[in-house]
Amino acid sequence: MSPDQTPSSLLERAKSARLVRIVVVYLAVSWGVIQALDILSQQFTLPDWFFPVGIGLLLIGLPIIIATALLQNGLRQPAQDAMPAAPVQKPRTSWSQPRSLFTWKRAIFGGVLAFAALSTMGLALILSRDPGGELQDDVVAVMPFQIVGGETELWREGLVDLVSTALDGTGAYHATDPRAVLIRWNKEIGGTEELAAPDEAAAVAAELGAGNMILGSVITTAPGEVRVHAELFNVRWLRKDASATVEGPESEMTSLVDQLTVDLLKSIWQEGEVPEVRVSTVTTASIPALRAYLEGEQAFRQSRFTEAQQSFARAVELDTTFAIAAHRLSFAYGWALGAFEEEHIRNAELAARHTAGLPARDSLLITGHKLVDIDGDLHTIELYENLTRRYPDDYEAWYGFGEALYHLGDQVGYGRDRVIEAMARAYAIDSTIAPSLFHLIQGTFYRDELAEAREWTARYLAIDSTSPYSYGLRLGSALRLGPPEDSAVAAQALDSLSLTLFSQIRFAVPAGRSSLPYSETVLLAAGDPRMPAPARASALEDLGHQYLRHGQIADWLALDREADRIQGRENELFTLTMTRLAGLLNDPAAIALQEQLTGREDYPETADYLASLYAQQRRFSDAQLAVDWLEGAADSLDEAGVTARARAYRGMALAYQGHIAAAQEDGTAAIDYLRRGLTLIPGNWNVLRNAHRYLLANLVEDSDQLEALRIYGSLYQSAWLEALGYLRRAQLHERRDELDDALRYYGWFLELWENADEHLQPQVESARRAVDRLSGEGVAD
């Protein structure tokens, strides 16, 4: 080339083969980077800015690469055909400085540095995700589905139930309680109809300990046709592990849920065949029944219990094998406070007959509900304890545990404090269900924890301020908690109160240890002559038992006799016998009445409990008659297939054998008989069981003090034994040098018996001296 030749133009150099190859390579690498960014962004649900920033860096890099190629490779002079005759000085150009800046080393290093920084930021975001708490890899939280088009709103929450049921049915995954999911969802995210952001949903799932979550949508594609899409995420990393889409008629929603669940599982199943999923076998094959059930669930979650009853009843009517619907219907009837006791029991039994094939959680909840309310099986407490450990955020598990403790807990030595703890946990999971506070409020009033009673009463009335229960609670709490002027107004209202509202007061606000005046105010008003005879008699009997609880034996017997007169019957023999056994009955006329009533009974068929008294009186042959009769009756019942009652009769026979052995001073045999008998007697036979448990505690005070302490502190269901139990427990604590506990139980005893009958005052004085003695030793109150 001659000296006067000029370099090629930029356009010509841009068309050079070398530059084109560099750009093609850069674009190919950029495409790979884009795919990697997209995978990272999607799989780990990185922020919306992550992917666009990566694209921006690639766009910035393209002109830098082109400029570097031009400056480093394209601006060199073409080679000369021959060397010049004399040296020619190279002219200085304006490209020298940019060429020193735009080097391949700098371009490559800058690109690597930029994407390293972006990747580090993405990794930091992933690693910084701390959902809090321990996440369980086999637990899945199913979130509300987004609904698009059509009249499919029912499936927004309904698919939470159905997909959760499907996952539970696999046995490999456990779905969190749909109620707990929806409560937290509405609290944290609100009732939005939009699909929540994965990070928001993950926060809800993490609160429930779920290691995985499902987000989904239902789109109406044509009349009666839907497309259901779902995505399975790892909660900790917000990594999308699987997705699935199914389409079909809305009338075949259960089949669509089956296929959707199977498709999700196929994407993550590690080995072997995917478990079979058939929602219809767990719920119902009838879509109308399923719709009615889901409508009932929606109403139930919103405390619309009458509507819930109607919907669940319609579901059961459409499919009598629909166990979950029957269970929920029994629950709804049970919360009607006894108004539907027959329906409550019937549906509990119906549900229990159709638990085959249900997921473990549902089967255990249904079985446990029947065992508590109908069978009184003490093993149910352990069943619910295991349920709450396995499903720590399951409302029904905690509520069922609280119910089991309320009805049966005393028989295994639990106090009412455990009921309060369990129900408080249920309330913490779902604070919208007012009836879950029933037993919690009762427990605080029973224990005279009036500050707590006031707090929980206020919380209940914030949920429900219009029902008969709420009115009864308001009146009862005014009488027990209010200032004198409020109590006076409430007392005046009792004069015109209906029978239903009296029942609500008595249920909502029970008497504590120090509230005999409250009981007198309410129950004397309920026993007014304007009330029907059965209701009057019931109120007077209840008040009489409060007097018996406070050691006022003569007042109890007078009211009990008046209640019998109103109803034209004599019904005191059982309580008279129990009171005599406990050593509380010393009035000759009362003892004569007990013996007179005894002579009218067809012993042992109608009054086998007399065997305990006969054993105490060393009338062993008479006591043995009950043992023999019960064993014979148990044999007959077994032959007739009535095994539960036969078991109970065998337990009673063993217990009475224990009373005989104790009277014969064979303590070892007596303890063995009593323990074996108590394992067979149903927990809801608590009145009879407590007579046996009290004797057992007396016998094991030296050999098993902890068992004796548990029994003595849990006799609160028996008016004639509660105070004695506290006294014996206080004395035992004092023997063990557990002086704070001794003072507590001496105090409880004195609260009950401070104004006991004269013949019981020596025990009262003994307790007072013990309190003075222990307080003088500097024991804390």
Side-chain angles (χ1 to χ4, degrees):
M1 180 180 294
S2 64
D4 60 344
Q5 273 187 302
T6 62
S8 301
S9 69
L10 288 178
L11 180 61
E12 290 173 334
R13 296 185 183 281
K15 294 178 180 179
S16 70
R18 184 178 182 85
L19 181 59
V20 170
R21 285 197 302 272
I22 289 172
V23 171
V24 168
V25 169
Y26 181 81
L27 292 176
V29 171
S30 297
W31 183 87
V33 170
I34 290 171
Q35 299 306 308
L37 291 173
D38 184 53
I39 292 172
L40 286 171
S41 181
Q42 292 293 325
Q43 289 298 309
F44 291 96
T45 320
L46 291 169
D48 293 340
W49 54 261
F50 182 82
F51 185 77
V53 167
I55 297 296
L57 291 175
L58 291 172
L59 291 175
I60 292 171
L62 179 60
I64 292 174
I65 289 295
I66 292 174
T68 302
L70 289 172
L71 290 168
Q72 295 299 322
N73 302 308
L75 294 178
R76 295 175 180 169
Q77 294 290 341
Q80 299 292 333
D81 293 336
M83 293 293 295
V88 179
Q89 185 174 356
K90 184 177 179 180
R92 298 183 59 87
T93 71
S94 61
W95 298 97
S96 300
Q97 187 173 2
R99 184 178 180 187
S100 65
L101 293 174
F102 286 84
T103 65
W104 285 116
K105 182 178 180 180
R106 288 184 175 182
I108 294 171
F109 179 75
V112 170
L113 184 63
F115 279 97
L118 181 63
S119 300
T120 300
M121 291 176 65
L123 182 61
L125 287 170
I126 294 171
L127 294 177
S128 66
R129 288 169 178 163
D130 182 11
E134 184 178 349
L135 303 183
Q136 301 177 67
D137 292 336
D138 63 339
V139 176
V140 184
V142 183
M143 301 298 166
F145 276 57
Q146 180 189 22
I147 304 300
V148 181
E151 298 181 359
T152 56
E153 179 60 29
L154 180 67
W155 302 117
R156 180 177 181 273
E157 293 184 7
L159 281 171
V160 177
D161 289 291
L162 293 183
V163 176
S164 297
T165 298
L167 289 166
D168 274 341
T170 66
Y173 286 90
H174 159 56
T176 54
D177 178 20
R179 177 188 306 280
V181 170
L182 293 168
I183 290 297
R184 281 169 169 75
W185 177 279
N186 291 327
K187 179 181 177 181
E188 302 293 336
I189 299 176
T192 176
E193 296 182 359
E194 300 297 323
L195 188 64
D199 57 337
E200 295 177 324
V204 173
E207 287 184 27
L208 300 170
N212 307 278
M213 66 178 180
I214 289 177
L215 294 174
S217 61
V218 180
I219 301 173
T220 299
T221 57
E225 298 285 323
V226 293
R227 177 187 300 124
V228 185
H229 177 73
E231 296 176 336
L232 177 68
F233 287 85
N234 178 286
V235 170
R236 184 175 300 280
W237 307 115
L238 280 187
R239 183 185 66 238
K240 187 193 300 182
D241 288 335
S243 64
T245 303
V246 294
E247 296 187 58
E250 185 186 356
S251 60
E252 297 180 5
M253 184 62 81
T254 54
S255 298
L256 295 178
V257 170
D258 290 344
Q259 187 58 52
L260 184 77
T261 308
V262 168
D263 289 350
L264 285 174
L265 291 177
K266 281 180 179 177
S267 301
I268 59 173
W269 203 251
Q270 300 299 316
E271 57 184 23
E273 296 183 2
V274 175
E276 182 181 10
V277 178
R278 294 190 64 189
V279 175
S280 61
T281 63
V282 177
T283 55
T284 176
S286 166
I287 291 296
L290 180 64
R291 279 185 167 276
Y293 164 73
L294 295 176
E295 289 168 358
E297 281 292 288
Q298 280 189 332
F300 197 88
R301 288 170 183 144
Q302 297 167 12
S303 298
R304 294 181 283 114
F305 300 115
T306 300
E307 293 178 40
Q309 286 175 7
Q310 295 169 349
S311 295
F312 289 140
R314 189 164 67 252
V316 174
E317 182 180 355
L318 291 166
D319 183 355
T320 57
T321 67
F322 195 170
I324 297 176
H327 167 64
R328 303 297 282 159
L329 179 58
S330 176
F331 236 66
Y333 279 135
W335 279 355
L337 301 183
F340 300 96
E341 183 66 21
E342 184 177 338
E343 290 295 327
H344 168 62
I345 293 174
R346 185 177 70 83
N347 283 284
E349 292 176 332
L350 175 64
R353 287 198 296 271
H354 297 289
T355 57
L358 292 181
R361 170 189 173 273
D362 295 302
S363 179
L364 289 172
L365 286 172
I366 291 171
T367 301
H369 179 52
K370 174 182 177 291
L371 290 176
V372 169
D373 285 11
I374 299 173
D375 299 338
D377 190 329
L378 293 174
H379 293 96
T380 315
I381 293 175
E382 183 180 357
L383 179 153
Y384 276 114
E385 281 184 310
N386 291 333
L387 267 173
T388 56
R389 281 193 291 267
R390 180 68 180 90
Y391 311 127
D393 289 290
D394 191 313
Y395 171 85
E396 279 200 64
W398 281 102
Y399 179 82
F401 188 30
E403 281 283 306
L405 290 170
Y406 180 82
H407 294 289
L408 305 174
D410 64 306
Q411 295 302 306
V412 294
Y414 287 155
R416 286 197 170 100
D417 57 321
R418 294 296 300 275
V419 179
I420 295 171
E421 291 170 6
M423 287 303 187
R425 182 65 182 271
Y427 173 83
I429 294 171
D430 187 350
S431 59
T432 67
I433 302 295
S436 63
L437 293 173
F438 287 166
H439 294 328
L440 197 159
I441 292 171
Q442 287 172 325
T444 54
F445 277 117
Y446 272 128
R447 289 172 56 85
D448 290 313
E449 296 172 345
L450 300 186
E452 291 80 359
R454 183 177 286 106
E455 176 187 348
W456 290 114
T457 295
R459 292 191 186 190
Y460 181 92
L461 293 175
I463 303 172
D464 168 24
S465 60
T466 60
S467 72
Y469 175 86
S470 69
Y471 188 65
L473 176 61
R474 191 177 289 109
L475 276 179
S477 60
L479 288 168
R480 284 217 43 196
L481 305 174
E485 56 272 19
D486 289 351
S487 296
V489 171
Q492 288 180 349
L494 298 178
D495 295 337
S496 59
L497 216 58
S498 69
L499 177 60
T500 298
L501 290 177
F502 268 119
S503 298
Q504 301 293 357
I505 292 175
R506 291 161 65 183
F507 177 82
V509 186
R513 292 181 301 273
S514 301
S515 54
L516 184 57
Y518 161 78
S519 297
E520 291 172 327
T521 300
V522 173
L523 295 172
L524 286 174
D528 188 89
R530 70 186 177 86
M531 293 293 176
R536 290 175 57 204
S538 172
L540 293 179
E541 284 178 346
D542 282 358
L543 180 56
H545 277 76
Q546 286 300 320
Y547 285 134
L548 178 57
R549 185 185 183 205
H550 287 270
Q552 298 174 23
I553 311 303
D555 291 336
W556 155 66
L557 189 54
L559 277 177
D560 219 46
R561 296 290 285 170
E562 175 62 15
D564 279 357
R565 186 195 64 76
I566 291 172
Q567 297 197 87
R569 59 175 173 77
E570 290 181 314
N571 197 39
E572 300 96 356
L573 178 59
F574 177 79
T575 310
L576 275 167
T577 302
M578 295 296 109
T579 306
R580 190 173 178 183
L581 271 170
L584 306 184
L585 205 64
N586 78 332
D587 179 63
I591 293 174
L593 175 62
Q594 192 275 333
E595 292 176 348
Q596 177 187 357
L597 294 175
T598 296
R600 299 178 186 177
E601 293 295 331
D602 185 13
Y603 175 79
E605 289 87 340
T606 58
D608 59 81
Y609 52 84
L610 289 170
S612 298
L613 182 61
Y614 293 152
Q616 188 183 80
Q617 296 172 339
R618 303 186 68 82
R619 294 166 56 182
F620 299 129
S621 59
D622 290 333
Q624 190 64 42
L625 285 176
V627 174
D628 296 340
W629 181 85
L630 286 164
E631 289 177 343
D635 290 338
S636 299
L637 289 167
D638 269 334
E639 291 176 3
V642 189
T643 55
R645 195 162 189 84
R647 175 185 171 89
Y649 276 23
R650 294 193 196 283
M652 292 297 293
L654 284 167
Y656 292 138
Q657 198 75 60
H659 283 261
I660 294 171
Q664 293 172 338
E665 300 183 358
D666 187 351
T668 302
I671 292 169
D672 179 62
Y673 280 129
L674 287 165
R675 281 180 172 160
R676 288 195 289 138
L678 286 167
T679 62
L680 301 177
I681 303 172
N684 51 9
W685 291 25
N686 51 22
V687 175
L688 280 170
R689 284 178 55 88
N690 279 346
H692 306 316
R693 295 175 70 235
Y694 184 67
L695 175 58
L696 177 61
N698 292 172
L699 294 170
V700 301
E701 275 195 8
D702 293 326
S703 61
D704 193 340
Q705 291 183 344
L706 292 179
E707 181 177 9
L709 288 171
R710 284 194 298 270
I711 293 173
Y712 285 143
S714 62
L715 296 171
Y716 46 82
Q717 298 281 13
S718 300
W720 54 91
L721 287 177
E722 181 181 5
L724 289 176
Y726 295 152
L727 177 61
R728 297 291 289 259
R729 177 159 184 167
Q731 293 167 341
L732 191 49
H733 277 306
E734 187 175 2
R735 284 170 51 190
R736 292 164 56 90
D737 288 326
E738 297 166 348
L739 303 186
D740 287 327
D741 290 327
L743 268 178
R744 179 185 306 113
Y745 284 97
Y746 276 129
W748 289 7
F749 167 74
L750 290 172
E751 283 183 280
L752 286 171
W753 270 22
E754 183 177 7
N755 297 309
D757 288 350
E758 185 177 353
H759 71 282
L760 302 176
Q761 282 299 315
Q763 296 178 79
V764 176
E765 290 303 321
S766 174
R768 285 181 179 142
R769 287 194 298 272
V771 170
D772 291 341
R773 181 176 62 252
L774 296 178
S775 299
E777 294 178 10
V779 178
D781 291 335

